[in-house]
Amino acid sequence: MKEVYYTVGRHTYRVRFCDERNTEALLPSSEPFRLADAPAEDAPLLFELKVDDAWRPAKKGKEIGQFDCGGNNHGVYLLEDGSYQILVSDVAGRQCCLMQATADFSSAVVCLNGNEDMRNFGLNNALMMMYAFAGADKNTVLMHASVVRKDGRGYLCLGVSGTGKSTHTGNWLKYVPGTDLMNDDNPVIRVCDDGVVRVFGSPWSGKTPCYRNVEAPVGAFLQLKQAPYNKIERMRTLDAYASLLPSCSVMKWDRRDYVGTSDTVSAILKQVPVFFLENLPDEEAVRMSYEAMTGKEWGELKR
């Protein structure tokens, strides 16, 4: 058995591979987050995942819902002891992975299925869900967003698929000098031990290969909506909460997960503003969001 450790968002987790077919080579997007050496024995782990194709569940749980993971619905099943089984399927509907996790997602075992691409997809999705659900009560959320960094602060664009998150952050890269892309789909947001809300790159970035082990304090959030004009305003706290919570990876039927995620979103909103931008995909929209979120004049940037 081979053990590999990764640190994402200042949380460390362990993956145990039980055979030669399944190795860390299935996780190329996780390589920037891999630790060269094992942490100290008393170092806390967010979770542990065991990859064992020989494993089979003793019994099947009761189906309680579907978890939407980037447009793919994964079946969720509940066992009598509170543990979960999650069946991961790809966009073609092929079953790639079966995972069984403890109630708090501190430990899980998975068996993989199919070719290398299917195994890569299944294992990556299993790790993403383990991270999101294990971190729910640890001031940590995975958020469906595209995030850029400017002058040491991270700015996150939110919205359902197709609203132009990547287009808007792409225009920041185009029109705002000194901007870099931190993650394009699933960054980590964490209220850290020092009280600062920070955004971190992650191994999960959707269709854009942006797997960067970087971090920054969060400057602001931006909820996007396509429109035939450009208009921006700061959202009221209640509206901002209603915007941020659905953007987080959360199982609403799990009380620990849902309450923990809700509390984290509330803590984030005590420090970080949220803006609502109705926009065209143009430079003027970037000017509006830049000035609102950074508090700086556009003219100063262009000098």
Side-chain angles (χ1 to χ4, degrees):
M1 181 180 294
K2 183 175 184 180
E3 297 183 347
V4 184
Y5 294 83
Y6 302 92
T7 294
V8 178
R10 300 187 184 179
H11 288 301
T12 298
Y13 55 89
R14 175 169 57 204
V15 182
R16 287 180 164 175
F17 297 97
C18 294
D19 57 65
E20 294 182 357
R21 180 174 187 180
N22 299 315
T23 70
E24 66 273 23
L26 287 174
L27 300 171
S29 63
S30 292
E31 194 61 26
F33 305 88
R34 181 181 174 184
L35 298 181
D37 301 302
E41 290 187 4
D42 59 348
L45 294 179
L46 181 64
F47 66 85
E48 174 181 287
L49 181 69
K50 181 180 178 181
V51 184
D52 183 3
D53 283 357
W55 170 78
R56 294 294 182 271
K59 61 175 63 176
K60 184 177 181 180
K62 178 182 178 181
E63 184 172 2
I64 58 171
Q66 297 283 327
F67 179 71
D68 183 357
C69 192
N72 301 314
N73 289 321
H74 303 327
V76 182
Y77 305 84
L78 182 64
L79 294 169
E80 293 178 356
D81 63 358
S83 59
Y84 285 100
Q85 292 172 349
I86 300 179
L87 183 60
V88 178
S89 300
D90 64 13
V91 293
R94 299 176 298 181
Q95 296 178 356
C96 302
C97 170
L98 176 62
M99 175 171 73
Q100 184 163 311
T102 55
D104 61 357
F105 286 88
S106 62
S107 178
V109 57
V110 301
C111 59
L112 304 179
N113 180 57
N115 59 33
E116 185 173 352
D117 287 342
M118 292 170 63
R119 289 168 176 271
N120 170 274
F121 182 87
L123 185 54
N124 264 296
N125 275 263
L127 284 172
M128 183 169 63
M129 288 186 286
M130 285 295 294
Y131 189 96
F133 303 149
D137 57 357
K138 298 175 178 61
N139 298 317
T140 303
V141 294
L142 266 180
M143 191 170 288
H144 183 47
S146 181
V147 53
V148 291
R149 182 173 53 178
K150 170 64 177 173
D151 295 333
R153 290 191 172 272
Y155 300 96
L156 293 95
C157 292
L158 312 174
V160 298
S161 297
T163 54
K165 298 184 296 296
S166 295
T167 298
H168 193 72
T169 53
N171 280 338
W172 266 63
L173 297 172
K174 180 178 179 180
Y175 295 118
V176 182
T179 301
D180 66 303
L181 183 68
M182 296 180 68
N183 186 274
D184 199 37
D185 193 58
N186 277 288
V188 173
I189 315 299
R190 182 176 179 184
V191 184
C192 294
D193 294 341
D194 59 2
V196 177
V197 179
R198 289 185 170 87
V199 57
F200 300 83
S202 81
W204 312 290
S205 189
K207 297 178 182 178
T208 303
C210 184
Y211 313 112
R212 304 181 62 203
N213 192 357
V214 293
E215 65 177 81
V218 177
F221 294 93
L222 184 69
Q223 177 71 46
L224 291 169
K225 180 181 179 181
Q226 292 180 348
Y229 54 84
N230 292 314
K231 178 183 177 182
I232 193 168
E233 60 183 4
R234 182 166 178 172
M235 300 180 74
R236 297 177 301 174
T237 301
L238 186 59
D239 293 330
Y241 178 88
S243 175
L244 259 62
L245 185 59
S247 297
C248 299
S249 296
V250 59
M251 289 199 300
K252 58 186 178 182
W253 51 78
D254 185 284
R255 177 173 175 78
R256 181 198 65 87
D257 185 15
Y258 189 79
V259 171
T261 301
S262 299
D263 289 347
T264 300
V265 169
S266 296
I268 290 170
L269 291 175
K270 290 179 180 179
Q271 298 189 48
V272 184
V274 182
F275 295 89
F276 179 60
L277 177 66
E278 298 173 278
N279 76 110
L280 293 162
D282 59 15
E283 183 177 1
E284 175 65 10
V286 174
R287 180 192 68 79
M288 284 187 173
S289 63
Y290 173 84
E291 291 189 338
M293 291 197 292
T294 67
K296 298 178 182 180
E297 294 293 331
W298 186 252
E300 296 178 3
L301 177 70
K302 294 300 182 179
R303 288 196 187 103

